[in-house]
Amino acid sequence: MKSIFCTSLSALALMSATVMAQTADSGSFADYLAGLKNVAASQYQIRPQTLDAVFLKIKEFRLAKSDASEPVAAPATNLDTFLPQTLNDALVDEAKFQYQGHAETLNRIGKKYGVQPRFIVALWGLESRYGRDSGVYPILSVTASKAFNQEQEAFYREQFFAALKLIDSSSWQPDDLLATPDGRMGQPKLLPQAFLSSAKDGDDDGKADIWTNPADVFATLAYSLQQAGWREDETWGRQVKIPADFDVSQAAEGNKKSFSQWQALGVRRFDGTDLPARADMQVEMVMPDGPKGRVYLVYDNYVALKRWHDSDYFALAVVHLSDRIKFQLGE
């Protein structure tokens, strides 16, 4: 099954172009590392043998021009352009392929954590393109360099020490912990602190390998959604219509109402029919592009996705991809 799940781990070849040592005449990065080493020993009780082995491998991280100059798609102006641009046919077709290829594992993990498999696959696809964009840079070099360059220094110092703690308390080696340029590791794109709290072993082999093991990736994504408040007995929401004189202040985050209350304000399903006749749910409204754009009533699962990544555009891409998976599989 891992043939479907191929992720490049050829970090050493890329390192020569993208991670470089600080020049000898500067020494400032080396001094900064020495300070980190002292803190790791005194405040985090990292073992001396770990520090001696690890710090020799940390180099200052810099993106090479070849990496920084990759073409970037023109930014979408609204959801009507963003969603088709993001959910292209290739992404949707592969979602179905991956879902079917990993169906047994997905169903098992989905039942364990109470998360519908199509949402796991959709989140996986949007985060890392089904594992292809999972990062190839050593996490310690990335986080130490970002802290050194004062890019959210306190934040990246904590991520650095979390990665050290992971190495010190497990069999993971520095070269195993590969990340994106902003320090997010593996296919679920976890920061080191999140790895310590949320990475899960999905096949009981004793290790949460979020880089190459599909079961571990799915379990980590599902567990993270579960902890964010995911509900297995609900979907994510629906697109709706609002009247011309609708009070847009009602779309404030956290302003939850029953379907009947939204109905009384003139809100209807997108096809113009009445909202669901359910009295057991409190839902909120989002309109990322304002009242003239797409408007949605969203449920607790949508809110859980926003806790994973606080972006309406990202959350809507995930849920729309999950709906495409559901439609293609005829569920």
Side-chain angles (χ1 to χ4, degrees):
M1 198 59 67
K2 288 186 181 179
S3 62
I4 300 175
F5 199 84
C6 53
T7 302
S8 172
L9 295 180
S10 56
L12 293 179
L14 292 170
M15 281 291 295
S16 61
T18 55
V19 179
M20 300 171 286
Q22 178 78 355
T23 55
D25 60 336
S26 169
S28 58
F29 183 66
D31 291 343
Y32 191 80
L33 278 183
L36 291 177
K37 188 174 182 180
N38 289 335
V39 173
S42 62
Q43 296 184 25
Y44 293 86
Q45 288 77 52
I46 304 299
R47 293 176 301 162
Q49 57 266 42
T50 299
L51 296 176
D52 291 341
V54 163
F55 272 77
L56 291 173
K57 297 185 176 184
I58 301 174
K59 309 297 181 183
E60 186 177 2
F61 172 82
R62 301 172 185 170
L63 273 181
K65 290 183 178 179
S66 60
D67 295 308
S69 61
E70 291 181 359
V72 177
T77 57
N78 54 44
L79 283 169
D80 287 335
T81 56
F82 172 78
L83 290 174
Q85 188 180 83
T86 303
L87 306 181
N88 55 60
D89 289 343
L91 187 79
V92 175
D93 289 343
E94 188 172 358
K96 177 183 176 182
F97 172 71
Q98 296 287 1
Y99 187 106
Q100 293 175 323
H102 296 290
E104 182 178 349
T105 302
L106 284 163
N107 287 327
R108 174 176 58 81
I109 288 172
K111 288 179 181 178
K112 179 176 181 178
Y113 293 104
V115 179
Q116 302 92 313
R118 63 189 176 98
F119 290 99
I120 300 173
V121 173
L123 182 55
W124 178 37
L126 267 296
E127 274 293 8
S128 65
R129 293 302 186 268
Y130 313 105
R132 287 192 296 276
D133 300 338
S134 57
V136 292
Y137 309 109
I139 186 64
L140 292 176
S141 293
V142 171
T143 52
S145 299
K146 282 188 168 293
F148 169 64
N149 289 313
Q150 297 185 329
E151 297 181 39
Q152 298 178 272
E153 182 180 10
F155 173 79
Y156 278 108
R157 281 170 65 96
E158 289 306 309
Q159 301 308 323
F160 176 84
F161 292 128
L164 269 182
K165 182 178 179 180
L166 174 59
I167 294 168
D168 192 49
S169 62
S170 70
S171 61
W172 289 109
Q173 298 299 309
D175 291 341
D176 296 328
L177 306 183
L178 303 180
T180 57
D182 62 349
R184 298 179 185 274
M185 302 189 302
Q187 301 190 26
K189 302 285 184 69
L190 295 186
L191 290 163
Q193 285 182 318
F195 185 102
L196 291 173
S197 62
S198 301
K200 291 297 173 184
D201 176 6
D203 58 2
D204 298 322
D205 67 352
K207 199 170 189 177
D209 180 1
I210 62 170
W211 289 268
T212 65
N213 188 321
D216 296 351
V217 172
F218 302 155
T220 297
L221 291 170
Y223 175 78
S224 298
L225 290 178
Q226 180 198 64
Q227 295 303 297
W230 193 271
R231 297 189 53 166
E232 188 177 17
D233 60 343
E234 293 182 4
T235 183
W236 64 271
R238 65 180 64 247
Q239 190 173 358
V240 295
K241 287 184 175 180
I242 56 175
D245 60 351
F246 186 78
D247 178 6
V248 297
S249 68
Q250 296 292 333
E253 184 176 354
N255 181 28
K256 293 187 175 183
K257 300 181 186 296
S258 66
F259 285 115
S260 62
Q261 288 174 314
W262 287 116
Q263 177 92 7
L265 292 173
V267 181
R268 297 293 184 272
R269 296 178 194 249
F270 190 66
D271 63 5
T273 59
D274 288 346
L275 297 175
R278 291 186 61 170
D280 61 333
M281 294 177 65
Q282 294 285 308
V283 302
E284 61 187 83
M285 179 177 287
V286 296
M287 47 176 73
D289 298 326
K292 294 184 178 180
R294 297 190 185 202
V295 181
Y296 299 87
L297 288 181
V298 296
Y299 312 159
D300 288 341
N301 289 345
Y302 183 90
V303 176
L305 276 172
K306 289 285 296 291
R307 293 190 182 109
W308 171 271
H309 183 48
D310 190 15
S311 164
D312 283 309
Y313 272 37
F314 179 85
L316 286 167
V318 171
V319 298
H320 278 288
L321 179 55
S322 76
D323 283 350
R324 295 283 295 275
I325 296 170
K326 180 179 181 181
F327 175 78
Q328 285 210 2
L329 295 175
E331 294 184 353

